Amino acid sequence: MHIMEGMLTWDWCLLWYLISLPVVAYGVVQIKKITDKNPESKPLLAVSGAFVFVLSSLKLPSVTGSCSHPTGTGLGSVLFGPAVASVLGAIVLVFQALILAHGGLTTLGANIFSMGIVGPLIAWLVYKGVKKANGSTLLGVFLAAALADLMTYVTTAIQLSLAFPVPSFGVAFNNFMMIFAVTQVPLAIAEGILTVVIFDYVMKLRPDILEKLKVIGPKVKEKVEAVV
């Protein structure tokens, strides 16, 4: 992740575009709804996008035609939901493809699906699950960010294995995952910790915005304000 330009045949490129674009379009609608209702959340939205751009630009060589790096999508997904995070991921991927030669335009749909859709969806589900179980907010953020990172790479491994099932899909998937795991497991843990640090700062600085976005409840807000 990201899959490089020219790595996928046109049929796979088209398929991932067709799957990803409707989700991104829905995310644009959600951004308008959220910012119209909570205009004070716009700076936080910008910070979430910048977080994705910076972290996902820190690439390390990995599988042929791909690379390893943090994704940064967990933060935006926890704060605004997976659809909004898909838009942030798509914007970042376009800029990286055009400016940094990181990823590609033909493989943009595939990269959006893995980093901008699957990763954020996992982050959102994990965070909501921890909240429902009355778990720690910061634990939920850590698990959301770390697992979003890992599942992004699982998805990329699946995409590459589907495109290059040599000698079979199962063998290819196992090989891709073994190589990704060497760099991605520690990166996912580090990303989880960094996301917790950023989220905790935002929670102490503007718990009111997080409450309006329904990221935290009134009780958490009261505890934070008491500590501050």
Side-chain angles (χ1 to χ4, degrees):
M1 234 310 290
H2 316 329
I3 300 175
M4 65 182 282
E5 183 70 55
M7 190 67 184
L8 300 179
T9 56
W10 70 268
D11 51 336
W12 284 112
C13 293
L14 179 60
L15 174 65
W16 295 119
Y17 261 108
L18 291 175
I19 294 173
S20 300
L21 288 180
V23 179
V24 174
Y26 175 71
V28 171
V29 175
Q30 290 299 106
I31 288 177
K32 188 176 187 309
K33 287 183 178 179
I34 292 172
T35 53
D36 284 348
K37 185 177 181 180
N38 302 293
E40 66 274 20
S41 67
K42 290 181 181 179
L44 192 55
L45 184 64
V47 168
S48 299
F51 190 66
V52 176
F53 184 85
V54 172
L55 287 196
S56 61
S57 296
L58 304 174
K59 57 182 180 177
L60 299 171
S62 188
V63 180
T64 299
S66 187
C67 59
S68 288
H69 56 77
T71 63
T73 57
L75 179 64
S77 185
V78 167
L79 295 175
F80 298 101
V84 172
S86 73
V87 179
L88 299 179
I91 293 171
V92 166
L93 286 165
V94 168
F95 274 94
Q96 289 178 338
L98 293 175
I99 299 174
L100 303 179
H102 187 19
L105 294 180
T106 61
T107 57
L108 182 61
N111 291 331
I112 289 175
F113 182 77
S114 60
M115 192 179 99
I117 296 177
V118 174
L121 179 60
I122 293 299
W124 183 77
L125 290 173
V126 168
Y127 183 72
K128 291 296 182 181
V130 172
K131 279 187 65 179
K132 189 173 182 179
N134 294 318
S136 164
T137 298
L138 295 182
L139 174 62
V141 172
F142 171 80
L143 292 176
L147 292 177
D149 183 305
L150 289 175
M151 286 308 299
T152 293
Y153 283 83
V154 171
T155 304
T156 299
I158 291 173
Q159 291 173 317
L160 291 172
S161 300
L162 287 170
F164 305 101
V166 181
S168 66
F169 171 83
V171 173
F173 177 75
N174 183 65
N175 291 336
F176 285 134
M177 284 305 302
M178 286 180 64
I179 298 172
F180 274 141
V182 174
T183 53
Q184 211 52 44
V185 171
L187 282 177
I189 295 172
E191 179 175 342
I193 295 172
L194 179 59
T195 305
V196 166
V197 172
I198 300 297
F199 184 90
D200 186 52
Y201 177 76
V202 173
M203 189 166 60
K204 290 176 180 176
L205 186 66
R206 294 299 303 270
D208 55 312
I209 295 179
L210 297 186
E211 186 185 5
K212 288 180 180 178
L213 293 173
K214 298 181 180 180
V215 178
I216 62 173
K219 291 183 180 180
V220 176
K221 178 187 173 185
E222 291 171 4
K223 290 180 181 178
V224 172
E225 290 176 340
V227 171
V228 174

